[in-house]
Amino acid sequence: KAGVTQTPRYLIKTRGQQVTLSCSPISGHRSVSWYQQTPGQGLQFLFEYFSETQRNKGNFPGRFSGRQFSNSRSEMNVSTLELGDSALYLCASSLGAGGGYNEQFFGPGTRLTVL
Amino acid sequence: KNEVEQSPQNLTAQEGEFITINCSYSVGISALHWLQQHPGGGIVSLFMLSSGKKKHGRLIATINIQEKHSSLHITASHPRDSAVYICAGSMEYGNKLVFGAGTILRVKS
């Protein structure tokens, strides 16, 4: 079974631009979660989608948004990029609806650099 | 105070040593996850546990629900175990994870 894939793997943008990252979950998985990892803040939860609905959202500004398609693929968008948005963005997929007992499978991440 | 705390932050061991990484949490969680991250970023799930103890090869994870504490043990450590180990709690609703800061482990040969 193919693992979680993320595209692109690397991105370089300038301040003020916007960016869209893509995540394809493991076949059959309906939950996709997004995380941001920075040296200063570590791993932080961005949002989670299940069956095209956002179920949880972390403490990030409205510039960070996402969506999920009917095939469970998910995208996240960051508008008006700031230098502090430079990070590794990871997505993870899970089989079930939640309740906390689902193993998460992580993609390789997209490394975003904002200049 | 962070909701999930790990110790130590950094750990250097000699090959063959027994290693313990600790994790304490202050929030209600449904399960505790131990994750491994190698340089380059990829994260692998090692264990997910809500009670007791799990073992996989040379890795053992335990959790004490009453004390809100979990430990990850590595027996007969090897240089290939060098990585960042992260504990995370999953919330009761959804699949949101709350992470500890990670433990950087270096095993020297």
Side-chain angles (χ1 to χ4, degrees):
Chain A
K1 219 180 210 183
V4 179
T5 59
Q6 291 187 246
T7 57
R9 294 291 312 278
Y10 302 91
L11 261 181
I12 299 176
K13 292 284 187 179
T14 56
R15 278 180 297 174
Q17 286 186 311
Q18 75 165 21
V19 68
T20 299
L21 313 182
S22 179
C23 173
S24 292
I26 291 172
S27 178
H29 285 195
R30 294 164 64 191
S31 168
V32 173
S33 299
W34 287 90
Y35 301 95
Q36 182 197 63
Q37 186 176 35
T38 59
Q41 299 296 320
L43 276 158
Q44 294 183 283
F45 171 78
L46 278 158
F47 28 66
E48 182 208 355
Y49 288 88
F50 182 82
S51 293
E52 302 178 67
T53 301
Q54 187 182 87
R55 297 203 300 175
N56 272 309
K57 191 175 191 305
N59 294 325
F60 280 83
R63 300 184 297 107
F64 291 80
S65 63
R67 59 178 176 168
Q68 187 180 34
F69 302 95
S70 58
N71 62 358
S72 294
R73 189 177 71 86
S74 179
E75 288 181 348
M76 67 163 280
N77 184 277
V78 188
S79 62
T80 319
L81 283 166
E82 300 177 358
L83 294 179
D85 297 333
S86 294
L88 180 67
Y89 291 88
L90 292 151
C91 79
S93 75
S94 299
L95 181 62
Y101 295 105
N102 296 295
E103 186 177 6
Q104 296 203 23
F105 297 83
F106 286 80
T110 294
R111 187 163 297 281
L112 172 64
T113 302
V114 182
L115 303 176
Chain B
K1 192 177 188 297
N2 293 332
E3 295 173 311
V4 179
E5 302 237 349
Q6 273 184 251
S7 62
Q9 285 186 305
N10 290 280
L11 182 55
T12 300
Q14 280 299 130
E15 183 174 357
E17 286 185 354
F18 180 85
I19 290 165
T20 296
I21 300 171
N22 295 300
C23 177
S24 298
Y25 52 95
S26 59
V27 292
I29 63 171
S30 293
L32 194 288
H33 302 248
W34 282 102
L35 311 170
Q36 181 192 57
Q37 185 173 33
H38 280 282
I43 293 178
V44 174
S45 175
L46 298 174
F47 296 102
M48 181 182 69
L49 64 167
S50 55
S51 65
K53 176 179 172 178
K54 286 190 176 181
K55 184 175 189 290
H56 184 257
R58 295 180 295 106
L59 302 179
I60 303 166
T62 64
I63 189 168
N64 184 315
I65 301 294
Q66 287 73 30
E67 295 186 4
K68 294 187 175 178
H69 181 270
S70 177
S71 293
L72 176 68
H73 305 287
I74 305 176
T75 63
S77 59
H78 190 276
R80 66 175 174 266
D81 297 326
S82 298
V84 178
Y85 292 84
I86 304 165
C87 70
S90 51
M91 301 295 108
E92 291 180 355
Y93 176 72
N95 289 305
K96 172 184 175 179
L97 291 179
V98 179
F99 300 89
T103 295
I104 302 172
L105 171 65
R106 182 183 170 212
V107 182
K108 298 194 288 186
S109 57

